[in-house]
mmCIF file of all heavy atoms in Angstrom:
data_model
loop_
_atom_site.group_PDB
_atom_site.id
_atom_site.type_symbol
_atom_site.label_atom_id
_atom_site.label_comp_id
_atom_site.label_asym_id
_atom_site.label_seq_id
_atom_site.Cartn_x
_atom_site.Cartn_y
_atom_site.Cartn_z
ATOM 1 N N SER A 134 16.038 -3.207 -288.370
ATOM 2 C CA SER A 134 15.724 -2.186 -287.361
ATOM 3 C C SER A 134 15.717 -2.651 -286.077
ATOM 4 O O SER A 134 16.039 -1.902 -285.041
ATOM 5 C CB SER A 134 14.395 -1.469 -287.824
ATOM 6 O OG SER A 134 13.278 -2.421 -287.662
ATOM 7 N N MET A 135 15.289 -3.806 -285.786
ATOM 8 C CA MET A 135 15.203 -4.414 -284.382
ATOM 9 C C MET A 135 16.605 -4.795 -283.900
ATOM 10 O O MET A 135 16.864 -4.627 -282.724
ATOM 11 C CB MET A 135 14.308 -5.667 -284.492
ATOM 12 C CG MET A 135 12.870 -5.412 -284.609
ATOM 13 S SD MET A 135 12.167 -4.489 -283.329
ATOM 14 C CE MET A 135 12.181 -5.736 -282.004
ATOM 15 N N SER A 136 17.423 -5.134 -284.747
ATOM 16 C CA SER A 136 18.819 -5.523 -284.386
ATOM 17 C C SER A 136 19.832 -4.412 -284.153
ATOM 18 O O SER A 136 20.768 -4.434 -283.432
ATOM 19 C CB SER A 136 19.400 -6.617 -285.229
ATOM 20 O OG SER A 136 19.567 -6.011 -286.484
ATOM 21 N N ALA A 137 19.606 -3.271 -284.860
ATOM 22 C CA ALA A 137 20.481 -2.207 -284.824
ATOM 23 C C ALA A 137 20.747 -1.672 -283.432
ATOM 24 O O ALA A 137 21.933 -1.399 -283.084
ATOM 25 C CB ALA A 137 20.012 -1.029 -285.760
ATOM 26 N N PRO A 138 19.695 -1.408 -282.582
ATOM 27 C CA PRO A 138 20.012 -0.811 -281.300
ATOM 28 C C PRO A 138 20.871 -1.749 -280.381
ATOM 29 O O PRO A 138 21.575 -1.248 -279.520
ATOM 30 C CB PRO A 138 18.658 -0.676 -280.646
ATOM 31 C CG PRO A 138 17.749 -0.580 -281.885
ATOM 32 C CD PRO A 138 18.270 -1.430 -282.856
ATOM 33 N N ALA A 139 20.895 -3.078 -280.645
ATOM 34 C CA ALA A 139 21.726 -3.894 -279.837
ATOM 35 C C ALA A 139 23.161 -3.701 -280.022
ATOM 36 O O ALA A 139 23.988 -4.091 -279.197
ATOM 37 C CB ALA A 139 21.344 -5.384 -280.209
ATOM 38 N N HIS A 140 23.600 -2.991 -281.062
ATOM 39 C CA HIS A 140 24.907 -2.738 -281.407
ATOM 40 C C HIS A 140 25.343 -1.290 -280.958
ATOM 41 O O HIS A 140 26.453 -0.901 -281.163
ATOM 42 C CB HIS A 140 25.272 -2.928 -282.904
ATOM 43 C CG HIS A 140 25.057 -4.344 -283.344
ATOM 44 N ND1 HIS A 140 25.934 -5.364 -283.012
ATOM 45 C CD2 HIS A 140 24.012 -4.916 -284.089
ATOM 46 C CE1 HIS A 140 25.472 -6.476 -283.539
ATOM 47 N NE2 HIS A 140 24.376 -6.249 -284.240
ATOM 48 N N ALA A 141 24.394 -0.581 -280.432
ATOM 49 C CA ALA A 141 24.674 0.786 -279.942
ATOM 50 C C ALA A 141 24.586 0.797 -278.422
ATOM 51 O O ALA A 141 23.797 0.052 -277.822
ATOM 52 C CB ALA A 141 23.672 1.749 -280.606
ATOM 53 N N ALA A 142 25.489 1.512 -277.820
ATOM 54 C CA ALA A 142 25.436 1.639 -276.390
ATOM 55 C C ALA A 142 25.412 3.167 -275.941
ATOM 56 O O ALA A 142 26.086 3.919 -276.621
ATOM 57 C CB ALA A 142 26.644 0.966 -275.804
ATOM 58 N N PHE A 143 24.780 3.415 -274.865
ATOM 59 C CA PHE A 143 24.696 4.774 -274.370
ATOM 60 C C PHE A 143 24.941 4.705 -272.781
ATOM 61 O O PHE A 143 24.437 3.860 -272.137
ATOM 62 C CB PHE A 143 23.355 5.425 -274.624
ATOM 63 C CG PHE A 143 23.008 5.529 -276.106
ATOM 64 C CD1 PHE A 143 22.479 4.561 -276.809
ATOM 65 C CD2 PHE A 143 23.319 6.801 -276.785
ATOM 66 C CE1 PHE A 143 22.180 4.663 -278.160
ATOM 67 C CE2 PHE A 143 23.091 6.924 -278.092
ATOM 68 C CZ PHE A 143 22.558 5.819 -278.839
ATOM 69 N N LEU A 144 25.752 5.691 -272.353
ATOM 70 C CA LEU A 144 26.067 5.857 -270.970
ATOM 71 C C LEU A 144 25.196 6.949 -270.436
ATOM 72 O O LEU A 144 25.169 8.078 -270.837
ATOM 73 C CB LEU A 144 27.601 6.172 -270.712
ATOM 74 C CG LEU A 144 28.045 6.444 -269.332
ATOM 75 C CD1 LEU A 144 28.060 5.172 -268.561
ATOM 76 C CD2 LEU A 144 29.453 7.018 -269.308
ATOM 77 N N HIS A 145 24.544 6.659 -269.291
ATOM 78 C CA HIS A 145 23.627 7.509 -268.666
ATOM 79 C C HIS A 145 24.070 7.783 -267.227
ATOM 80 O O HIS A 145 24.334 6.886 -266.456
ATOM 81 C CB HIS A 145 22.175 7.068 -268.726
ATOM 82 C CG HIS A 145 21.665 6.588 -270.032
ATOM 83 N ND1 HIS A 145 21.239 7.330 -270.978
ATOM 84 C CD2 HIS A 145 21.601 5.269 -270.515
ATOM 85 C CE1 HIS A 145 21.030 6.630 -272.092
ATOM 86 N NE2 HIS A 145 21.180 5.363 -271.908
#
Side-chain angles (χ1 to χ4, degrees):
S134 66
M135 291 294 292
S136 61
H140 297 288
F143 296 87
L144 177 68
H145 312 276

